[in-house]
Amino acid sequence: NGIRVYDPAFMNTAAISSKITYIDGDKGFLMHRGYPIEQLAEKSNFLETAYLLIYGELPSLQQKKVWEFEVMHHTFLAEDLMKIIGNMRYDSHPMSIFISAFAAMGAFAPDANPSLQGRNLYLNDKLTMNKNIIRIIGKAATVAAASMRVRMNRPFIAPRSDMTYTENMLYMMDAISGAEGYRPDKRLAKALDILFILHADHEMNCSTATMAHVGSSLVDPYSAIAAAAAALYGPLHGGANEAVIRMIERIGTVDKIPQFLEDVKSKKELLFGFGHRVYRNTDPRSKIIREVAETVFDAVGREPLIDVAIALRDAALKDEFFISRKLFPNVDYWSGLIYKAMGFPLDFFPILFAVPRVAGWLAHWKQSLEEGNGKIWRPRQLYVGEPRRDYLLLEERS
Ligand code: CMC
């Protein structure tokens, strides 16, 4: 209607209408397709939750079996893609590998490029849409595991379709090449599965908005996933779980907490793992994650940094700076402690967020194509630069 609203960082703009995820930021409530996150974390598993997010309903027994079979049989990476990943430096950040691998994957799936067949490729051809969704979910865990193996300078381990999604991911990271009968600890695979459910979607967060934005140009979904993953990499988003542990390690001991909080208050530091654009009271995922942390500590031993983390949380929650700004621990405050206890290297944490979030990205990509208005995302701006002026020759410039 010609009215423009100035809304930097989209603080107040709803860019889509959605049936996927609902967040009540004041009550600290999260549900997917109507199901509360607490029930999904307790009763579902990651692949089923991914199906729910993408297709809108919980699968029947038959649908669940077919879905799990299909995803777990699309976990292999093309030999040439493995060579690309294998040529990455040993100290590459796993998220850089993930982003690059998905960008490259587009080159291995030419049929995914909609420009070849017109704008309605995915609407007219559900088979192609589903094939790519299944491939992307299946391969995400394998890329993550491969990035770990590159870092360890060890050969890649082929995926196993007779394991659960997270069990297979741990297997591909951990197994000694050719070891017979090796299986990851089931308690850790289950804990990771719950974490994957908690991370699977969170409506219009930075990376999902990126997926929708990039997807609105009708690019292939692999390229859009690479873009979404790049958005997630940043420390204000998915990189926060890594930043939290680096921050707690820097603080080191409980007696250093007051000085650290002073630095946060004078804006020299950020308290990573605190605050959220939508939640202004509590993040329901962080409560569930605290329980998962205890089961992981039971299995592998207590992570020593947890005591500093708890003391830091308690001190912040009593401090007027955080109270008045409604800042409290988000999901990333605790997840890194679990990943650290499980033995993952610090810079591997964001990829453990990215792999399950692929499900949310795809759910939104599909919804946008099927139910969106078909328009390319193109925000407006307020121009505040120079008025029209004439070009200056070099000798005229001061
Ligand atoms: N530490 C210190 N100050 C903070 C923090 C923090 N973690 N978060 C917000 N603030 C301050 C902010 O500087 C502002 O202060 P002032 O009013 O004096 O200018 C005030 O609190 C209000 O912040 P906001 O503008 O409402 O925050 P936002 O919605 O723009 O940003 C956020 C949300 C998550 C990016 C931010 O809270 C932050 O940077 N947190 C640390 C990074 C982090 O933990 N990210 C993970 C988010 S949850 C998982 C995910 O979605 O990725």
Side-chain angles (χ1 to χ4, degrees):
N1 59 10
I3 298 171
R4 282 191 207 155
V5 179
Y6 179 51
D7 184 21
F10 308 118
M11 300 281 284
N12 299 296
T13 298
I16 59 162
S17 59
S18 177
K19 296 175 184 157
I20 301 171
T21 289
Y22 174 77
I23 300 174
D24 185 326
D26 294 325
K27 295 199 180 110
F29 178 69
L30 167 64
M31 66 185 192
H32 296 318
R33 303 282 188 184
Y35 297 104
I37 191 66
E38 291 79 5
Q39 291 185 22
L40 293 171
E42 187 192 337
K43 296 178 181 161
S44 184
N45 64 37
F46 167 64
L47 278 188
E48 184 185 69
T49 298
Y51 182 100
L52 171 72
L53 286 165
I54 294 165
Y55 297 106
E57 294 295 340
L58 287 168
S60 66
L61 183 61
Q62 186 58 19
Q63 286 168 328
K64 188 169 184 297
K65 275 190 188 158
V66 172
W67 168 247
E68 288 176 355
F69 180 90
E70 290 286 345
V71 171
M72 295 312 295
H73 283 80
H74 283 84
T75 44
F76 279 84
L77 302 182
E79 195 67 38
D80 287 339
L81 181 60
M82 281 161 56
K83 281 190 202 142
I84 293 174
I85 298 174
N87 279 326
M88 296 279 182
R89 281 173 59 112
Y90 74 93
D91 58 353
S92 312
H93 195 287
M95 281 303 294
S96 297
I97 298 179
F98 192 84
I99 295 161
S100 313
F102 269 97
M105 227 181 269
F108 292 94
D111 61 329
N113 185 344
S115 70
L116 300 174
Q117 294 170 53
R119 62 175 293 135
N120 287 324
L121 166 67
Y122 291 105
L123 287 186
N124 298 339
D125 182 356
K126 298 283 180 206
L127 209 64
T128 301
M129 176 180 265
N130 288 331
K131 188 171 71 183
N132 287 303
I133 286 173
I134 285 165
R135 275 185 187 160
I136 289 170
I137 295 181
K139 292 177 197 321
T142 315
V143 170
S147 76
M148 172 77 102
R149 302 295 289 185
V150 169
R151 302 273 316 258
M152 296 157 80
N153 204 14
R154 298 238 175 99
F156 296 144
I157 306 286
R160 292 269 299 259
S161 52
D162 59 339
M163 294 184 179
T164 69
Y165 190 82
T166 48
E167 208 179 359
N168 170 53
M169 192 169 110
L170 290 175
Y171 170 83
M172 289 186 288
M173 288 169 183
D174 244 10
I176 297 160
S177 219
E180 279 298 317
Y182 169 81
R183 286 191 94 100
D185 188 316
K186 281 209 175 294
R187 295 167 299 176
L188 299 186
K190 175 67 188 160
L192 198 57
D193 192 85
I194 297 173
L195 289 169
F196 275 21
I197 294 173
L198 299 183
H199 284 91
D201 190 49
H202 214 228
E203 49 117 308
M204 278 290 101
N205 56 86
C206 181
S207 57
T208 309
T210 303
M211 181 84 189
H213 197 142
V214 174
S216 79
S217 76
L218 296 182
V219 73
D220 69 273
Y222 300 91
S223 303
I225 290 274
L232 187 120
Y233 185 5
L236 296 189
H237 188 12
N241 52 16
E242 176 183 347
V244 167
I245 300 300
R246 293 195 189 280
M247 170 188 78
I248 295 175
E249 281 185 344
R250 259 189 304 122
I251 297 171
T253 48
V254 171
D255 58 305
K256 303 273 174 31
I257 289 174
Q259 182 56 50
F260 178 77
L261 289 182
E262 286 312 311
D263 290 345
V264 173
K265 290 195 263 183
S266 59
K267 310 266 178 186
K268 279 192 231 141
E269 294 270 8
L270 258 185
L271 178 48
F272 282 100
F274 260 63
H276 199 276
R277 174 64 58 81
V278 184
Y279 295 123
R280 296 292 175 189
N281 187 354
T282 178
D283 180 339
R285 300 168 302 171
S286 67
K287 183 169 176 284
I288 305 168
I289 232 169
R290 278 291 291 123
E291 290 158 17
V292 177
E294 292 308 324
T295 55
V296 170
F297 296 161
D298 284 347
V300 295
R302 200 169 160 78
E303 165 53 47
L305 288 181
I306 186 84
D307 295 328
V308 183
I310 289 173
L312 178 60
R313 174 203 61 183
D314 292 346
L317 290 180
K318 280 188 215 129
D319 193 303
E320 195 44 39
F321 177 92
F322 301 94
I323 297 170
S324 61
R325 288 171 176 77
K326 300 190 171 167
L327 303 174
F328 52 85
N330 57 49
V331 67
D332 289 323
Y333 193 74
W334 304 111
S335 60
L337 291 161
I338 302 178
Y339 301 144
K340 186 160 185 299
M342 287 172 80
F344 290 110
L346 292 197
D347 55 5
F348 202 78
F349 298 179
I351 217 170
L352 295 168
F353 185 157
V355 171
R357 184 56 59 89
V358 160
W361 295 336
L362 290 169
H364 282 269
W365 172 72
K366 180 170 175 289
Q367 177 181 256
S368 296
L369 289 177
E370 290 177 347
E371 297 172 36
N373 62 6
K375 289 197 182 293
I376 191 163
W377 285 30
R378 205 305 186 184
R380 306 304 290 261
Q381 64 160 18
L382 290 184
Y383 178 69
V384 293
E386 298 291 338
R388 185 202 176 281
R389 50 186 173 163
D390 288 326
Y391 182 81
L392 294 177
L393 297 173
L394 259 182
E395 54 274 24
E396 293 170 335
R397 296 174 208 167
S398 53

